[in-house]
Amino acid sequence: MTTKCRLAEELEVCLRRSETIPGWTRGEEARELLRSSHSRSAGAVIVEIGSFFGAGAILLAGPRRIRGSGVVHCVDPFDGTGDSFSVPHYQRILAKFSSGSLRDHFERNIHDAGLAPWVRIHQGRADEVARSWTTPIDLLYLDGDQSQKGVREAYGSWAQFLKVGGIIAVHNSAPDNHTAEHDGHRCIVEEKIKPPRYSNIRLVCSTTFATKA
């Protein structure tokens, strides 16, 4: 088996593991997230805003395990809060599990995937956690509170740390119909993710990927 084929197989294993966990990043956009994480250099610093049960964290941390270095920093209050559209969906999913907090489920899923060494948890709102952050970021994945206020706070707090040449990925940002108070990612892409600040801007399913210019 060639090295390229082996890598594709290993990334596919990460994808399948992620699909066993409640989440919304699937299919080709999930594959692009895998590729984006794997493309970052040794020791990459990756930040995920909004982690829920860990499906997205597996897509980001799995490639770093394959590379043998790098850390995914997962930022989430782990209390099931967020925009008004999303909260009932969070509650419905959590109700299917008989016990344990959202953070308990996240940690268990990461541990069972063998990815604990590549993941760090930062429990709190995106803007709160950013106040004590100083490290440049190689990849920033926005997938948290999708109200316009929540997204502007997250983007305003974290995009400043993205390195030149770093990748930003904004989930659920396709320019189609969005429910009120669930369109923050679409709005931030229209307002901020554009030249000359970003290049190589592309929409993969519902996720916008771009490179900081």
Side-chain angles (χ1 to χ4, degrees):
M1 182 184 293
T2 66
T3 301
K4 186 174 182 180
C5 289
R6 187 178 300 111
L7 172 60
E9 187 175 273
E10 290 175 339
L11 291 177
E12 194 70 14
V13 169
C14 297
L15 178 70
R16 297 308 173 202
R17 167 69 73 166
S18 174
E19 289 175 344
T20 67
I21 297 170
W24 292 271
T25 305
R26 305 297 196 215
E28 193 54 37
E29 61 188 338
R31 288 188 174 88
E32 184 64 21
L33 202 61
L34 285 164
R35 289 190 289 263
S36 295
S37 175
H38 189 269
S39 73
R40 301 299 84 193
S41 62
V45 175
I46 297 173
V47 173
E48 176 187 51
I49 307 298
S51 297
F52 197 45
F53 270 64
I58 287 173
L59 295 172
L60 295 167
R64 301 319 305 177
R65 179 177 63 185
I66 294 169
R67 289 290 303 265
S69 71
V71 175
V72 178
H73 297 269
C74 296
V75 179
D76 197 300
F78 291 104
D79 59 3
T81 58
D83 59 273
S84 59
F85 176 86
S86 299
V87 168
H89 295 283
Y90 300 156
Q91 294 173 342
R92 173 179 53 80
I93 293 170
L94 280 166
K96 295 180 179 179
F97 296 84
S98 57
S99 63
S101 67
L102 179 53
R103 178 164 175 169
D104 289 338
H105 291 299
F106 174 87
E107 290 185 334
R108 186 178 302 113
N109 289 331
I110 295 302
H111 178 270
D112 290 349
L115 295 173
W118 287 271
V119 173
R120 301 289 182 274
I121 297 173
H122 303 264
Q123 186 164 356
R125 288 181 52 84
D127 57 317
E128 295 170 345
V129 175
R131 290 171 193 161
S132 59
W133 187 271
T134 58
T135 308
I137 297 170
D138 295 278
L139 193 163
L140 174 62
Y141 182 43
L142 298 181
D143 194 23
D145 180 350
Q146 294 183 40
S147 66
Q148 291 188 27
K149 179 178 183 293
V151 172
R152 288 195 174 97
E153 287 178 347
Y155 179 87
S157 299
W158 287 95
Q160 61 182 313
F161 298 108
L162 188 63
K163 295 178 181 177
V164 172
I167 294 174
I168 187 169
V170 187
H171 190 226
N172 196 34
S173 56
D176 52 14
N177 294 327
H178 287 72
T179 302
E181 278 307 296
H182 192 63
D183 62 350
H185 283 166
R186 176 188 61 81
C187 292
I188 207 71
V189 165
E190 292 178 354
E191 295 169 8
K192 302 292 187 179
I193 312 301
K194 55 187 179 181
R197 183 176 296 166
Y198 295 96
S199 63
N200 192 26
I201 302 167
R202 60 210 185 276
L203 179 67
V204 181
C205 299
S206 73
T207 302
T208 300
F209 294 84
T211 302
K212 186 172 181 180

